Amino acid sequence: MSEELIQIRHRGQVAELWLNRPDRHNALDERLIHDLHLSLDKLVDNSTVRVIVLCGAGESFCAGADLDWMRRAASLEGEDNYRDARTLASLLHAIATCSKPVVARVQGSAYGGGVGLIAACDIAVGIQDATFALPEVRLGLAAATISPYLLAAMGARRARRLVLTGERFTAMQARDWGLLHDVVGLESLDAKVERITDMLLEGGPHAQAITKDAMIEFDGEPFSTQLMESTARRLAQVRVSLEGREGVAAFLEKRSPSWAPVPKQEKAA
């Protein structure tokens, strides 16, 4: 793995994944995509990591596809072309289906595939000055691999407008349209992200994984007897799990569950 492209920083049970091509505005190419995917897989396999935060170094979060990569990709044909396109699709799928909560820390602007990275995360916080765009059609390309995540985050009609026009939109619009959950000043970004990760650490890790999987599977499903049965089965399974029993016992005994971090005031004492 090219260590300089991705940096991993640990903060207790929170791991930060940093896109580290600030000189290229963290533009995506085959090496960055490969290294990011590999780093994500390592964090998923690390039992000490509970929450993952996706970050960008420098003034931009992610400028989308690197121009040199686009030139190389344009020369590929057949299966080579497909395999290259699949790398980004596979990365986005891995982020969206990650068993651990993934938070996007959007400290700067994002375009194209960078917007896709944000949309694939569970929670996204961005700064007020960030701008966004999906300019693929202006290059004669299609926002294909990122489209499922745009649809899930922003809704079909809004996403169609943005991918067809390629227009820029602001952080406040991104929040109103579902891409971002919160918009703050740059000076407040880390504090906001920390508050969110602290809340995530209060949840049971197994329960969070089960809930994420259910939300993905049931999204868009019509209300039906089959859906009812499936949701009931999941609840029944999690209630008798060790984590489920511990959580209920902790609540009844008015104590913190075993997975919850020690409150900061207790650490300070």
Side-chain angles (χ1 to χ4, degrees), residues 217-218 221-234:
E217 181 179 340
F218 301 148
E221 285 292 310
F223 299 127
S224 64
T225 302
Q226 182 180 359
L227 180 64
M228 178 194 71
E229 295 289 351
S230 183
T231 57
R233 263 190 227 100
R234 284 177 189 262

Side-chain angles (χ1 to χ4, degrees), residues 78-96:
E79 282 300 307
D80 290 337
N81 185 15
Y82 166 73
R83 280 193 293 270
D84 184 78
R86 196 179 185 281
T87 59
L88 178 57
S90 179
L91 171 63
L92 294 167
H93 181 265
I95 294 172

Side-chain angles (χ1 to χ4, degrees), residues 232 234-246 248:
R234 284 177 189 262
L235 176 58
Q237 290 169 358
V238 76
R239 281 199 299 205
V240 297
S241 68
L242 291 176
E243 187 177 283
R245 293 181 188 276
E246 162 64 9
V248 173

Side-chain angles (χ1 to χ4, degrees), residues 126-132 169-176 180 183:
I127 65 167
Q128 296 165 345
D129 295 336
T131 58
F132 306 86
F169 53 102
T170 66
M172 297 304 290
Q173 288 173 312
R175 185 196 63 184
D176 293 344
L180 299 177
V183 174

Side-chain angles (χ1 to χ4, degrees), residues 31 34 95 99 117 197 208 213 248 252:
R31 294 187 307 132
H34 171 271
I95 294 172
S99 59
L117 290 177
T197 57
Q208 287 173 334
D213 184 66
V248 173
L252 294 175

Side-chain angles (χ1 to χ4, degrees), residues 112-124:
V115 177
L117 290 177
I118 298 168
C121 293
D122 300 303
I123 302 171

Side-chain angles (χ1 to χ4, degrees), residues 108-168:
S109 299
Y111 304 103
V115 177
L117 290 177
I118 298 168
C121 293
D122 300 303
I123 302 171
V125 181
I127 65 167
Q128 296 165 345
D129 295 336
T131 58
F132 306 86
L134 298 155
E136 285 86 345
V137 293
R138 297 189 178 190
L139 302 174
L141 301 174
T145 54
I146 66 175
S147 60
Y149 312 100
L150 298 176
L151 291 168
M154 308 177 78
R157 198 142 189 262
R158 179 69 64 189
R160 281 205 304 269
R161 167 180 165 170
L162 296 173
V163 297
L164 292 175
T165 64
E167 66 191 277
R168 291 196 181 198

